Amino acid sequence: MLTSRCTGTRGLRASVRRLSGGHVISRTSSLTVQIDPWEYCCCRTPPAIDDRVSGQLIAQPGNGIADLRPLGWDANRGLVIVKGGSAYWMRDGESPDDGVTVLLTWQPDDAPGVRASGIVSGLVQTFRHVDDDIAPLRRREVQESETFREPLVGSDGYTLVGLVATLTDLDLVEPTLAEVAAHRATLRRARSTARMSAPATYFGQAIPRPHDRITVDLDDPRVAVTPAEPVHGTITGVVTHVAVATPSRSGAFTMLSSVAADTPADDVLGDLFITVVLDEES
């Protein structure tokens, strides 16, 4: 089991310089990453040997395609250290005790991943049998990754599941403590946010305003809540957004429109859509 220690990537660095956006690390060693096919199959130039690629590095539990052994664990910044680099661990509250997979992703994400730029020095496409979980992976070295609009299953039952890339001449930018703390606060806020819709009269005699504190019974059949689980019963929280549902003239769709605070609830014909940040005890 890995013990939490703030080692950063000490011992793996070729040279280090600091910028305001994070810890900038230049390396001479190589790093093995996995790239999911959906990342490039629809709308990005496929990776090829000698290309420079850039993206974010995130780590997940190993999937058998490109597993790496964790060498260290920086719990404060959520970084797992592997041979050749580091990546942001996507399992908040868990430590990476076993093998991990480092993913290179280009998709915009609020997670404070390790920003990476490197030269592709090796590419291996991996294939897995769709009906046989214990069948061994098949691997094929390529100069440029193939792209498919949709997952294709060959006559042998194998389908492309990943691209393993070896990156060299790496520049990595690790997130700062402040960036990680802000991300974790956002996650906590998201977990405690409920979105509900109900007739306006359900919320009281007048339309609430943002920053108002309200108390509602989520078991009342008039209200629909997202998430429906595990929030039940009477809850209290602070209103962050209020809108009213207005059907289009054709009736084909519903628009959300603003509504003035303190408007009598009896004057509002459509359902209210309200976002509430729940109190911790709710």
Side-chain angles (χ1 to χ4, degrees):
M1 179 174 179
L2 288 176
T3 58
S4 173
R5 60 184 187 275
C6 298
T7 58
T9 48
R10 188 169 50 224
L12 297 175
R13 303 178 181 183
S15 62
V16 178
R17 62 190 186 278
R18 181 183 294 275
L19 295 180
S20 59
H23 300 86
V24 180
I25 305 165
S26 297
R27 304 181 191 280
T28 56
S29 58
S30 63
L31 176 64
T32 301
V33 301
Q34 179 184 330
I35 306 173
D36 286 340
W38 63 268
E39 291 272 8
Y40 59 84
C41 275
C42 71
C43 47
R44 188 178 175 99
T45 302
I49 297 294
D50 296 329
D51 281 354
R52 177 168 286 277
V53 297
S54 300
Q56 287 200 92
L57 299 179
I58 60 175
Q60 296 180 348
N63 57 16
I65 296 177
D67 294 359
L68 298 172
R69 182 171 64 87
L71 301 178
W73 167 232
D74 183 341
N76 289 334
R77 289 188 294 153
L79 299 183
V80 57
I81 314 305
V82 296
K83 181 180 179 181
S86 58
Y88 186 76
W89 180 243
M90 297 298 290
R91 299 294 183 94
D92 192 26
E94 301 178 17
S95 62
D97 294 330
D98 301 315
V100 301
T101 295
V102 175
L103 297 174
L104 175 67
T105 176
W106 299 300
Q107 305 306 311
D109 196 301
D110 293 333
V114 176
R115 298 190 295 279
S117 176
I119 300 295
V120 178
S121 61
L123 281 176
V124 176
Q125 289 188 153
T126 57
F127 302 82
R128 175 169 281 157
H129 200 286
V130 295
D131 296 321
D132 187 351
D133 293 336
I134 64 173
L137 289 172
R138 292 183 178 177
R139 305 175 189 270
R140 185 171 69 222
E141 293 187 11
V142 294
Q143 291 294 307
E144 179 178 314
S145 56
E146 299 175 89
T147 60
F148 307 105
R149 291 291 180 180
E150 297 178 358
L152 297 180
V153 180
S155 58
D156 57 1
Y158 278 81
T159 186
L160 177 67
V161 293
L163 181 69
V164 178
T166 302
L167 303 181
T168 57
D169 190 23
L170 280 163
D171 285 324
L172 304 183
V173 182
E174 295 179 342
T176 64
L177 280 171
E179 289 172 332
V180 173
H183 175 64
R184 288 172 173 171
T186 298
L187 292 179
R188 287 193 298 271
R189 183 180 178 88
R191 287 193 293 265
S192 62
T193 296
R195 295 168 181 84
M196 58 191 74
S197 62
T201 53
Y202 168 83
F203 297 100
Q205 296 181 345
I207 302 303
R209 65 178 72 232
H211 308 300
D212 279 355
R213 179 171 295 280
I214 64 172
T215 299
V216 292
D217 179 9
L218 298 185
D219 291 333
D220 190 307
R222 294 177 296 169
V223 64
V225 184
T226 304
E229 296 286 346
V231 184
H232 292 288
T234 301
I235 61 98
T236 59
V238 175
V239 175
T240 59
H241 181 73
V242 180
V244 62
T246 305
S248 64
R249 291 183 178 180
S250 65
F253 59 91
T254 299
M255 301 177 293
L256 294 181
S257 306
S258 59
V259 56
D262 299 326
T263 299
D266 289 334
D267 294 347
V268 178
L269 299 180
D271 282 355
L272 282 188
F273 285 74
I274 289 185
T275 302
V276 177
V277 177
L278 305 178
D279 295 339
E280 290 187 3
E281 63 271 15
S282 294

